[in-house]
Amino acid sequence: MSTTIFSKDEFKNYILIIIGSITLAFSVVGFFSPNQLITGGTAGLALLLHYITPLSIGSLILLINFPLLMIGGKFLGKSFAIRTIVTLIFISLFIDLFDKVFEIQPFIIDTPLGSIFGGILVGIGLSLVIKGDSSAGGSTIIARLIAAKTEIKAGTVILTIDSIIIFSSLVIFEDRTKVLWSVISIYVTSKIIDTILTGRLNKKVVYLVTNKTEELKIRIREELGPKGTIIKGDGLFEGENKKMILIVVEVGKLQVLRKMVKETDPEGFLIITEATEMLGRGH
């Protein structure tokens, strides 16, 4: 499949990148900068440096990221690296346009509200950029480089970098509440990204351990639905056969399942986990 900018998929990628970049830029100019808050990644580092230097936020984002792109370009892949460069240019351009040319006024001067709603907008913007098969550079590039050379996970690297940026702001800001609200903002951003990219599922994965598999599978099929799997395995003792029922249940029907198991097999028990992402069968 063609991956040129003229292909349908690539055109869609760049539309998402542009909208995401505008959203990110507005969050920085409208919420973070006027409230002297910090976000994660190189946008956060650029904001931090902007508070102590005369340089604009947009120019700082480019200055921080381009050396990283030069070093880590080969680890990103050509197409991904090009999209990342374009994304960074758009983010920097829109931030400086909104701030210096259009002189957009702060959306609100209030640290808690700026933190929460700024975090929401950053989450939306980053999600759109990621959906456009791109990145906002910075910690993503460093994380890929370190993950490729060591056994350290990329997520651990990003969390470490964000933590360093946030706690570095303690040196600059006398008001420590701003630092704590910045931490909350990053948390809000991560939750928004998770929700947009994986969906907000109202379902749980349930492992039902029981000695009455046949009776329960009939009741589950009749009362909860036909989809499920029976897993067969060996116990810890020689010749001990075990069966487990694996099903995905809506949160509202968990109590029905608990009652069902209690009535059918009082010795049975449930292991319930989050269904963070579902693919296939209409999902």
Side-chain angles (χ1 to χ4, degrees):
M1 183 182 292
S2 174
T3 57
T4 66
I5 194 170
F6 301 105
S7 70
K8 183 179 178 181
D9 288 341
E10 199 67 359
F11 180 74
K12 180 182 175 182
N13 284 339
Y14 279 98
I15 292 295
L16 290 169
I17 287 168
I18 291 170
I19 298 172
S21 299
I22 291 171
T23 306
L24 281 165
F26 182 73
S27 69
V28 170
V29 176
F31 292 93
F32 283 95
S33 181
N35 289 291
Q36 290 193 314
L37 292 164
I38 300 293
T39 185
T42 48
L45 182 56
L47 277 165
L48 198 62
L49 294 174
H50 171 68
Y51 298 141
I52 58 175
T53 69
L55 297 174
S56 70
I57 301 168
S59 62
L60 283 166
I61 287 176
L62 291 177
L63 286 171
I64 294 166
N65 277 286
F66 270 109
L68 295 173
L69 281 167
M70 295 298 290
I71 297 169
K74 67 178 181 178
F75 291 95
L76 301 175
K78 183 179 177 181
S79 297
F80 189 84
I82 290 171
R83 290 190 209 99
T84 298
I85 291 170
V86 171
T87 301
L88 290 169
I89 291 172
F90 277 143
I91 292 172
S92 303
L93 179 64
F94 286 128
I95 286 175
D96 284 351
L97 277 175
F98 290 164
D99 187 29
K100 305 296 182 183
V101 179
F102 299 137
E103 295 183 345
I104 290 179
Q105 296 301 305
F107 193 82
I108 190 167
I109 302 295
D110 183 272
T111 300
L113 290 176
S115 166
I116 293 169
F117 286 95
I120 291 171
L121 284 178
V122 170
I124 293 170
L126 284 175
S127 298
L128 292 172
V129 167
I130 293 168
K131 280 180 172 287
D133 198 14
S134 182
S135 81
S139 53
T140 304
I141 301 170
I142 297 171
R144 289 198 177 205
L145 283 170
I146 294 176
K149 297 290 185 180
T150 69
E151 295 183 358
I152 302 173
K153 293 181 180 179
T156 303
V157 178
I158 293 172
L159 179 61
T160 302
I161 292 170
D162 286 349
S163 299
I164 291 170
I165 292 169
I166 288 295
F167 288 106
S168 294
S169 63
L170 285 169
V171 180
I172 297 173
F173 298 138
E174 293 182 3
D175 186 357
R176 294 186 178 182
T177 58
K178 291 184 181 295
V179 178
L180 296 177
W181 278 110
S182 295
V183 173
I184 291 173
S185 179
I186 291 175
Y187 176 79
V188 170
T189 293
S190 68
K191 288 300 178 183
I192 293 294
I193 292 172
D194 286 344
T195 300
I196 292 175
L197 296 183
T198 64
R200 185 70 175 175
L201 297 176
N202 65 335
K203 297 182 179 181
K204 302 283 186 179
V205 176
V206 179
Y207 299 89
L208 170 54
V209 182
T210 175
N211 291 321
K212 296 187 178 181
T213 311
E214 294 302 317
E215 295 95 320
L216 276 167
K217 78 176 185 181
I218 293 171
R219 288 196 64 179
I220 290 170
R221 192 166 57 225
E222 291 175 349
E223 298 180 40
L224 296 179
K227 295 175 183 177
T229 302
I230 294 177
I231 302 172
K232 299 179 181 179
D234 297 326
L236 294 178
F237 296 100
E238 190 70 29
E240 184 184 23
N241 296 319
K242 291 284 188 179
K243 287 184 179 180
M244 182 186 300
I245 300 174
L246 169 63
I247 52 175
V248 177
V249 183
E250 292 180 8
V251 174
K253 294 182 179 179
L254 277 176
Q255 191 56 36
V256 175
L257 180 60
R258 288 192 183 100
K259 183 179 178 182
M260 188 188 304
V261 173
K262 186 176 181 180
E263 291 174 350
T264 308
D265 181 11
E267 299 298 318
F269 63 91
L270 307 173
I271 302 170
I272 303 171
T273 64
E274 293 287 343
T276 56
E277 184 173 8
M278 293 180 67
L279 301 174
R281 286 186 175 178
H283 295 286

